[in-house]
Structure formats: structure tokens, C-alpha cells
Amino acid sequence: MKIFKLKRTIGIALLLGFGFHKNVHAGSYGDIYGAHPGAAGMGSAVTAIVNNSSAVFYNPAGLGRLSEGDLILAAIEKEARTNNPEIPNPENKDASSTTPPNVDPNDPANQQPAVVGPWYKRYWADTKEGFTKDVFKYKPANRPERSVHEVTFQYMYANPTSHTTAPRNQNLNKIRDSFVGLGLTLNLNDMFDMSRGFRFGINAIVPGSGNLLTLNDQNPTVPRYLQQGVSNERPTIMGGLGLEIWKDRLFAGVGFTALAGGTGSILMKDVPISPDPVSANSQVILTVKPLINPTYGLQFSYGKFSLGASYKRETVMQVDPVPARAQTTLLGIQLDFDLAILDGFNPRVFSYGLGFRPNDRLVLSFDINREIWSQFKLSRIKEKYSEPLYLHDTTNFRIGAEYALFKFLKTRLGFATKPTPLPAMPGANNWMDSDRNIYSLGFSYVFSPTTFKFMNRLRKPLIFDIVIENHQLKSNEVHKYNPTERNPNYSYGGYIWTVGVSMTIFF
């Protein structure tokens, strides 16, 4: 077993520095638990509708959309203009008026009939009308007069509860998957006035265990979870650009994902020749650089429908190889060690999404994710001394809904399926993973200058998101070809409860 760890003592600032320079990406926390509590509340079915800092994870094209801060601020400005007609309306100058000339909007004959009665009848009428009226009609979005930037702080607590009869080890005891995150988007129209959405975004997620980075090349015969515990201990840092190509309709984005890779060596010197055991002076030298992989995304909106597609290439941590050499001058003695670390694999992902917004209160979304796990390779030392291991490609389905109970409060529901890529394990290998169903419930609370009177000094909104998830892990029975005391038959399964919170500040 060979494990290299970089402790948090090297500093989060150093990690974020890498992010701004190379956008290092190396994690699976977002794949399992969601990269943002708002998205996780909808089962992470946000490929077609994402518009915050997590867009660099789900679909970088979402950076070109109006953010939640843009939409809230535009609504506040619109309300102020309505209350004070003397304030000019600079937004949507190129949008034609939908009101015919010489028509008095205050005339009851020219007003839309309103549904009267209890609140639930009004909500039902609005919802039903949203599915049948103006489904493909273009409606220009309200845009704020000021540029809006965004910073998000998040924390996710995950405590997997596993039930297994497998031989215990450090990978099966006290499993923790908690993590913290930081997201940032910058509206580049402050620098280049393109009259279109144009933003840069970055999202960083790091383990909450105290380990900033873990490279684990452990023997696969030891029982180990594939997507829990130590297998998740690696940072995720992503960056990207999003551009609004066709106003309110077409958005494109490009991002960068990467992981650590490089070469290493063990230098041995001053090795005496002796019949007794000796300890050689040695140095381990590792040269690690970011390995950059691209991410692409598109979003298209027409009427009340939104479509999205993204592509994220696989990433992997790799240090290959770590050789050792020792030689005497009198008698040629050469020692060779070959350790190729290949861990932290994230599959190539193709994501396709469909969103539907029947009215200003309700959003429905559906995603299909195709994960290409078959590109996984064993390290050279495992390939030579372990059984072959082939992972299966998987297809994930995700569905989510969001409903605004009030202007300041939204609720979300989500469901997702995540099949395991692991094949049966009847031989010596003992990697463990389960098919899982994921259920999520989320809330979003908006503080804005119009929410409460005491918030009148708040110039731009704040958003607090919370999500509660339950992962149901399907039970598995492992039957060995030749069970032994060290490699017996066993079973495993369990569940995971997670709670995530975030605070988004717009400035």
C-alpha cells in the first residue's frame, strides 16, 4: 500500500491559487452529492437551467445566463419604476412593446381576466394556464441596470452508514464524506461591454477531513468502497467562461478540468556492501503538474422550454512511474522498484437536460447522464500483480422540480438513479459499490431590500440554500470462486443522509 497525502497545512489559498491559474479539477463529491445545495435539491437535474457558480461543474454554458442575482435585482428595479413612472426604463431597448398604441391599460375592457377565489384556486389556474398558453412565445428577460457578481460558500455533511460483513480495514471504518466549497462568478461586462451575458466562473470543493489531497494506490484485494470515504479525498476545482450568443435564447460555455499528474523517483546512495541488513540513505522526488482537460456546454431556450448539453472529459490522478536505482562500484548491484500510482478516476460524462418553466413559480427539469467508466485503467503495479478489472459504463436519470411559495421562499424536490459501474467481484478483488436511489428536498430563502422593511439598507440580495438528501444503497451479496478466511464471501449495503447549506452573496 502506498498513500501520499498533502495536509491542509499547505493552505487552501495555495489550492485556490492553482484554480485561478490552471483550474485544477479532481473530485467526485459533486458527482455523488451535488456541486451546490440548490442543484442537489433538484436531484442535480440542472444541465438545461443552471445559472450560478456551479455551472462550471454541470454546464459552463449556464454562465452566460442571467444569474439569480440578476433576476432578483431586475425585479426590484422594475418594481421601483412601476411605483415611480419618472424613472427611465433602460432595459430591453431593442424589444418591441407588446401593448398596441392608443390603448389605455387601465381600461377594464383591456385587462386580462383575473381568477378570484381561494389562493389554491388561483395557483392551480396559473399553473394550468402555464402548460397551455404561450408555450413557445418569446418573452424578453428583465435585465438589471448594474452588473452583478457572485460568491458562494457551502458546506455539505455526509455520514455514510454501511452494513457489511467484509473484513474490516481503514477504508471501511469511520467513513466520512463531508466537504466545503467556494464558488465565484464575475460579470465580464464590467470590462467588455458586449450587451450580452458574459461571465467567468470558478468552483472549488475540498474534503472536510483535513486532507487536502490523497493519492491511494492500495491493493484492490483489500475491501474498499469505490465512491465513499478515502476514495473521495481529492479536491475539485473547475473554471470556465459562458457567453450569451443569441439574446435570451442560445448560450455556450467552455471550461477546464484537470488533475494532478507527473513522474517521480527514489534516489538511493551510500549503500554499504555488508552481510548484515543495512538501511540506505534515500530521497523520494515527485514532480507533479496539473493535467488539463476540456469541458464544453450549450444551452438553448425557446418559449418556456430549455435544452442543455455538456461534455466533460475523464480525469485521473497519476504519478507514473516511481523507479529506484542502486549500484556499487565494486560489484554491480541494481535494485528496481516500479510503482505507478493511478487513482482518483472521474469518468467521461455526457449530460443532456430538458427544462420547462410554465410560469414564474414552477420549474421542472429532467437530465440523462452517460458516464464512461470503461476508460479506467489499473496502475502498472496493479496490472502486473492483480486480477484484471473492467468497469461498466452507466446511465443516470435525474428529475427535479422547484416551486416558489413566495417571492422570498422556494422549495425543491429531486430524485436520481445512479447505477454502479462495478462488475461482480468473485475473485481476489474486493472493490465495493452499490446501485443507489437518491431522494432530495431543498429550500432557498432570499433576503432582498423588498423582503422586509429592516432590509432596506441591503443593496443586493443574499440567498441561503439548504438541501437534505437520502441515498439508498442497494444490498449486494459477493460470492467468491474460492472463499478463504482472508477472502471470504460477504455482503454490504446501507444508506447515506446528507445535509448541505450555502450562502450566496451578490456584489
Side-chain angles (χ1 to χ4, degrees):
M1 179 177 68
K2 191 71 173 180
I3 301 177
F4 296 96
K5 292 186 178 181
L6 299 179
K7 302 300 284 185
R8 192 179 299 275
T9 51
I10 71 173
I12 298 297
L14 177 61
L15 179 62
L16 296 181
F18 265 109
F20 277 100
H21 181 62
K22 290 292 187 180
N23 304 304
V24 179
H25 164 82
S28 63
Y29 286 121
D31 294 318
I32 303 299
Y33 302 106
H36 188 280
M42 300 184 69
S44 292
V46 296
T47 301
I49 60 175
V50 64
N51 64 346
N52 55 28
S53 60
S54 66
V56 293
F57 183 88
Y58 294 108
N59 187 348
L63 293 172
R65 283 185 177 271
L66 293 174
S67 68
E68 289 300 315
D70 290 323
L71 298 174
I72 296 171
L73 192 59
I76 294 172
E77 293 172 352
K78 183 177 181 180
E79 183 177 347
R81 287 191 296 269
T82 303
N83 296 333
N84 187 355
E86 297 181 359
I87 299 178
N89 183 0
E91 65 186 23
N92 301 319
K93 295 179 181 179
D94 55 342
S96 59
S97 174
T98 58
T99 304
N102 303 322
V103 172
D104 183 6
N106 297 319
D107 187 350
N110 298 320
Q111 294 179 352
Q112 295 291 333
V115 178
V116 295
W119 64 270
Y120 56 87
K121 286 188 176 181
R122 297 196 304 270
Y123 283 4
W124 169 247
D126 291 343
T127 302
K128 183 173 64 174
E129 187 179 77
F131 284 88
T132 58
K133 186 178 179 181
D134 297 334
V135 174
F136 296 104
K137 183 178 180 180
Y138 168 67
K139 182 181 179 181
N142 295 322
R143 297 171 183 266
E145 300 177 26
R146 294 169 286 172
S147 296
V148 178
H149 312 288
E150 167 190 334
V151 61
T152 299
F153 306 93
Q154 68 164 311
Y155 172 75
M156 179 75 80
Y157 173 79
N159 185 9
T161 301
S162 299
H163 306 294
T164 180
T165 59
R168 290 286 177 170
N169 61 76
Q170 64 175 353
N171 293 298
L172 303 182
N173 295 326
K174 297 181 180 179
I175 301 170
R176 295 292 183 271
D177 278 343
S178 301
F179 59 92
V180 296
L182 173 66
L184 174 69
T185 66
L186 299 175
N187 190 332
L188 299 183
N189 279 294
D190 275 353
M191 299 175 60
F192 311 97
D193 188 3
M194 302 182 65
S195 299
R196 293 289 189 273
F198 185 33
R199 285 192 296 165
F200 166 79
I202 189 170
N203 194 315
I205 297 175
V206 295
S209 62
N211 298 327
L212 195 61
L213 176 63
T214 299
L215 295 181
N216 188 339
D217 200 53
Q218 181 172 305
N219 190 327
T221 62
V222 176
R224 169 187 174 188
Y225 287 103
L226 177 65
Q227 301 184 79
Q228 291 173 227
V230 70
S231 294
N232 284 341
E233 284 192 345
R234 46 194 189 271
T236 302
I237 303 183
M238 304 144 289
L241 289 170
L243 175 64
E244 183 182 32
I245 298 176
W246 185 8
K247 199 168 187 179
D248 296 327
R249 292 182 177 89
L250 183 62
F251 313 88
V254 60
F256 300 94
T257 63
L259 203 50
T263 59
S265 63
I266 301 175
L267 176 63
M268 302 181 68
K269 60 183 181 179
D270 300 332
V271 183
I273 298 178
S274 170
D276 301 321
V278 297
S279 298
N281 297 328
S282 62
Q283 296 176 346
V284 178
I285 302 172
L286 297 177
T287 302
V288 181
K289 299 179 180 179
L291 300 177
I292 306 301
N293 284 320
T295 302
Y296 305 104
L298 285 173
Q299 286 185 350
F300 178 72
S301 293
Y302 192 84
K304 297 179 179 180
F305 285 97
S306 294
L307 300 174
S310 69
Y311 164 81
K312 181 165 55 178
R313 191 173 176 180
E314 70 274 0
T315 55
V316 65
M317 290 183 183
Q318 185 171 349
V319 179
D320 183 25
V322 180
R325 298 286 187 269
Q327 188 169 347
T328 67
T329 56
L330 298 178
L331 180 63
I333 299 176
Q334 184 167 290
L335 306 176
D336 290 316
F337 299 92
D338 184 8
L339 173 63
I341 298 173
L342 188 146
D343 197 29
F345 179 80
N346 272 11
R348 182 176 301 188
V349 181
F350 297 88
S351 298
Y352 309 94
L354 171 65
F356 182 63
R357 185 185 294 271
N359 53 43
D360 293 336
R361 291 181 176 272
L362 180 63
V363 180
L364 303 173
S365 60
F366 176 72
D367 271 22
I368 299 177
N369 297 339
R370 182 65 174 172
E371 298 184 351
I372 310 301
W373 288 87
S374 55
Q375 298 292 328
F376 174 79
K377 297 184 299 181
L378 291 174
S379 64
R380 289 171 54 180
I381 195 70
K382 288 181 181 176
E383 193 175 45
K384 186 175 182 179
Y385 296 106
S386 301
E387 291 181 349
L389 178 65
Y390 304 99
L391 300 182
H392 301 311
D393 298 336
T394 62
T395 302
N396 308 332
F397 297 95
R398 305 175 183 271
I399 187 170
E402 177 185 270
Y403 190 79
L405 298 173
F406 308 98
K407 289 193 301 183
F408 57 87
L409 179 62
K410 297 179 181 179
T411 182
R412 302 182 178 102
L413 292 173
F415 172 75
T417 63
K418 189 171 180 61
T420 177
L422 277 183
M425 291 282 166
N429 289 341
N430 284 299
W431 283 18
M432 301 162 63
D433 193 37
S434 298
D435 294 339
R436 66 181 70 195
N437 291 329
I438 304 172
Y439 305 87
S440 59
L441 172 66
F443 298 93
S444 180
Y445 198 92
V446 180
F447 283 100
S448 71
T450 59
T451 304
F452 300 106
K453 292 183 178 180
F454 68 86
M455 303 292 293
N456 57 0
R457 292 185 178 272
L458 183 66
R459 298 188 61 190
K460 293 185 179 179
L462 298 173
I463 298 180
F464 292 88
D465 289 294
I466 183 171
V467 63
I468 302 173
E469 284 185 344
N470 177 256
H471 297 230
Q472 289 294 322
L473 308 179
K474 181 180 178 181
S475 298
N476 288 287
E477 297 281 344
V478 178
H479 299 281
K480 298 296 183 179
Y481 292 136
N482 298 301
T484 64
E485 183 178 353
R486 298 188 61 178
N487 190 31
N489 299 326
Y490 59 89
S491 62
Y492 61 93
Y495 58 90
I496 306 174
W497 280 102
T498 69
V499 177
V501 294
S502 70
M503 179 179 68
T504 301
I505 302 172
F506 299 96
F507 61 97

PDB file of all heavy atoms in Angstrom, residues 40-56:
ATOM      1  N   ALA A  40     -28.482  20.289  -5.919  1.00  0.00           N
ATOM      2  CA  ALA A  40     -28.731  18.998  -5.276  1.00  0.00           C
ATOM      3  C   ALA A  40     -30.186  18.854  -4.862  1.00  0.00           C
ATOM      4  O   ALA A  40     -30.743  17.755  -4.871  1.00  0.00           O
ATOM      5  CB  ALA A  40     -27.809  18.831  -4.069  1.00  0.00           C
ATOM      6  N   GLY A  41     -30.838  19.966  -4.491  1.00  0.00           N
ATOM      7  CA  GLY A  41     -32.238  19.919  -4.115  1.00  0.00           C
ATOM      8  C   GLY A  41     -33.140  19.487  -5.248  1.00  0.00           C
ATOM      9  O   GLY A  41     -34.249  18.989  -5.013  1.00  0.00           O
ATOM     10  N   MET A  42     -32.682  19.659  -6.491  1.00  0.00           N
ATOM     11  CA  MET A  42     -33.428  19.226  -7.672  1.00  0.00           C
ATOM     12  C   MET A  42     -32.862  17.939  -8.247  1.00  0.00           C
ATOM     13  O   MET A  42     -33.025  17.659  -9.439  1.00  0.00           O
ATOM     14  CB  MET A  42     -33.431  20.324  -8.722  1.00  0.00           C
ATOM     15  CG  MET A  42     -34.066  21.621  -8.283  1.00  0.00           C
ATOM     16  SD  MET A  42     -34.142  22.863  -9.591  1.00  0.00           S
ATOM     17  CE  MET A  42     -35.350  22.127 -10.704  1.00  0.00           C
ATOM     18  N   GLY A  43     -32.175  17.164  -7.418  1.00  0.00           N
ATOM     19  CA  GLY A  43     -31.599  15.913  -7.903  1.00  0.00           C
ATOM     20  C   GLY A  43     -30.454  16.122  -8.863  1.00  0.00           C
ATOM     21  O   GLY A  43     -30.099  15.213  -9.618  1.00  0.00           O
ATOM     22  N   SER A  44     -29.854  17.315  -8.887  1.00  0.00           N
ATOM     23  CA  SER A  44     -28.784  17.707  -9.811  1.00  0.00           C
ATOM     24  C   SER A  44     -29.234  17.641 -11.269  1.00  0.00           C
ATOM     25  O   SER A  44     -28.395  17.529 -12.168  1.00  0.00           O
ATOM     26  CB  SER A  44     -27.531  16.851  -9.595  1.00  0.00           C
ATOM     27  OG  SER A  44     -26.941  17.121  -8.341  1.00  0.00           O
ATOM     28  N   ALA A  45     -30.545  17.749 -11.517  1.00  0.00           N
ATOM     29  CA  ALA A  45     -31.069  17.769 -12.887  1.00  0.00           C
ATOM     30  C   ALA A  45     -31.116  19.203 -13.380  1.00  0.00           C
ATOM     31  O   ALA A  45     -32.190  19.795 -13.550  1.00  0.00           O
ATOM     32  CB  ALA A  45     -32.447  17.128 -12.918  1.00  0.00           C
ATOM     33  N   VAL A  46     -29.950  19.795 -13.613  1.00  0.00           N
ATOM     34  CA  VAL A  46     -29.872  21.224 -13.906  1.00  0.00           C
ATOM     35  C   VAL A  46     -29.066  21.526 -15.163  1.00  0.00           C
ATOM     36  O   VAL A  46     -28.704  22.676 -15.391  1.00  0.00           O
ATOM     37  CB  VAL A  46     -29.267  21.983 -12.698  1.00  0.00           C
ATOM     38  CG1 VAL A  46     -30.168  21.888 -11.480  1.00  0.00           C
ATOM     39  CG2 VAL A  46     -27.869  21.475 -12.365  1.00  0.00           C
ATOM     40  N   THR A  47     -28.793  20.535 -15.995  1.00  0.00           N
ATOM     41  CA  THR A  47     -27.974  20.763 -17.193  1.00  0.00           C
ATOM     42  C   THR A  47     -28.562  21.854 -18.077  1.00  0.00           C
ATOM     43  O   THR A  47     -27.826  22.626 -18.693  1.00  0.00           O
ATOM     44  CB  THR A  47     -27.833  19.462 -17.993  1.00  0.00           C
ATOM     45  OG1 THR A  47     -27.227  18.466 -17.169  1.00  0.00           O
ATOM     46  CG2 THR A  47     -26.984  19.667 -19.231  1.00  0.00           C
ATOM     47  N   ALA A  48     -29.892  21.948 -18.150  1.00  0.00           N
ATOM     48  CA  ALA A  48     -30.541  22.904 -19.046  1.00  0.00           C
ATOM     49  C   ALA A  48     -30.841  24.237 -18.393  1.00  0.00           C
ATOM     50  O   ALA A  48     -31.154  25.207 -19.102  1.00  0.00           O
ATOM     51  CB  ALA A  48     -31.840  22.311 -19.593  1.00  0.00           C
ATOM     52  N   ILE A  49     -30.733  24.341 -17.053  1.00  0.00           N
ATOM     53  CA  ILE A  49     -31.211  25.550 -16.382  1.00  0.00           C
ATOM     54  C   ILE A  49     -30.211  26.171 -15.421  1.00  0.00           C
ATOM     55  O   ILE A  49     -30.474  27.246 -14.892  1.00  0.00           O
ATOM     56  CB  ILE A  49     -32.515  25.259 -15.610  1.00  0.00           C
ATOM     57  CG1 ILE A  49     -32.278  24.170 -14.549  1.00  0.00           C
ATOM     58  CG2 ILE A  49     -33.636  24.845 -16.559  1.00  0.00           C
ATOM     59  CD1 ILE A  49     -33.485  23.911 -13.652  1.00  0.00           C
ATOM     60  N   VAL A  50     -29.064  25.547 -15.174  1.00  0.00           N
ATOM     61  CA  VAL A  50     -28.120  26.058 -14.188  1.00  0.00           C
ATOM     62  C   VAL A  50     -27.648  27.452 -14.591  1.00  0.00           C
ATOM     63  O   VAL A  50     -27.400  27.729 -15.780  1.00  0.00           O
ATOM     64  CB  VAL A  50     -26.937  25.088 -14.023  1.00  0.00           C
ATOM     65  CG1 VAL A  50     -26.123  24.976 -15.299  1.00  0.00           C
ATOM     66  CG2 VAL A  50     -26.064  25.490 -12.848  1.00  0.00           C
ATOM     67  N   ASN A  51     -27.512  28.359 -13.600  1.00  0.00           N
ATOM     68  CA  ASN A  51     -27.091  29.730 -13.901  1.00  0.00           C
ATOM     69  C   ASN A  51     -26.252  30.349 -12.785  1.00  0.00           C
ATOM     70  O   ASN A  51     -26.149  31.568 -12.696  1.00  0.00           O
ATOM     71  CB  ASN A  51     -28.317  30.609 -14.160  1.00  0.00           C
ATOM     72  CG  ASN A  51     -29.211  30.753 -12.936  1.00  0.00           C
ATOM     73  OD1 ASN A  51     -29.071  30.011 -11.961  1.00  0.00           O
ATOM     74  ND2 ASN A  51     -30.120  31.707 -12.976  1.00  0.00           N
ATOM     75  N   ASN A  52     -25.642  29.515 -11.923  1.00  0.00           N
ATOM     76  CA  ASN A  52     -24.816  30.057 -10.843  1.00  0.00           C
ATOM     77  C   ASN A  52     -23.389  29.516 -10.960  1.00  0.00           C
ATOM     78  O   ASN A  52     -22.999  28.973 -11.991  1.00  0.00           O
ATOM     79  CB  ASN A  52     -25.435  29.744  -9.481  1.00  0.00           C
ATOM     80  CG  ASN A  52     -25.685  28.258  -9.285  1.00  0.00           C
ATOM     81  OD1 ASN A  52     -24.984  27.409  -9.853  1.00  0.00           O
ATOM     82  ND2 ASN A  52     -26.682  27.917  -8.495  1.00  0.00           N
ATOM     83  N   SER A  53     -22.610  29.652  -9.897  1.00  0.00           N
ATOM     84  CA  SER A  53     -21.197  29.266  -9.956  1.00  0.00           C
ATOM     85  C   SER A  53     -20.996  27.776 -10.185  1.00  0.00           C
ATOM     86  O   SER A  53     -19.935  27.357 -10.662  1.00  0.00           O
ATOM     87  CB  SER A  53     -20.494  29.692  -8.659  1.00  0.00           C
ATOM     88  OG  SER A  53     -21.092  29.071  -7.538  1.00  0.00           O
ATOM     89  N   SER A  54     -21.988  26.941  -9.852  1.00  0.00           N
ATOM     90  CA  SER A  54     -21.849  25.506 -10.096  1.00  0.00           C
ATOM     91  C   SER A  54     -21.984  25.151 -11.572  1.00  0.00           C
ATOM     92  O   SER A  54     -21.838  23.987 -11.933  1.00  0.00           O
ATOM     93  CB  SER A  54     -22.885  24.727  -9.279  1.00  0.00           C
ATOM     94  OG  SER A  54     -24.202  24.998  -9.716  1.00  0.00           O
ATOM     95  N   ALA A  55     -22.252  26.141 -12.435  1.00  0.00           N
ATOM     96  CA  ALA A  55     -22.340  25.872 -13.875  1.00  0.00           C
ATOM     97  C   ALA A  55     -21.029  25.310 -14.418  1.00  0.00           C
ATOM     98  O   ALA A  55     -21.046  24.534 -15.377  1.00  0.00           O
ATOM     99  CB  ALA A  55     -22.711  27.149 -14.630  1.00  0.00           C
ATOM    100  N   VAL A  56     -19.898  25.663 -13.825  1.00  0.00           N
ATOM    101  CA  VAL A  56     -18.628  25.129 -14.314  1.00  0.00           C
ATOM    102  C   VAL A  56     -18.546  23.624 -14.088  1.00  0.00           C
ATOM    103  O   VAL A  56     -17.739  22.944 -14.712  1.00  0.00           O
ATOM    104  CB  VAL A  56     -17.434  25.836 -13.650  1.00  0.00           C
ATOM    105  CG1 VAL A  56     -17.363  27.293 -14.080  1.00  0.00           C
ATOM    106  CG2 VAL A  56     -17.502  25.737 -12.136  1.00  0.00           C
TER     107      VAL A  56
END
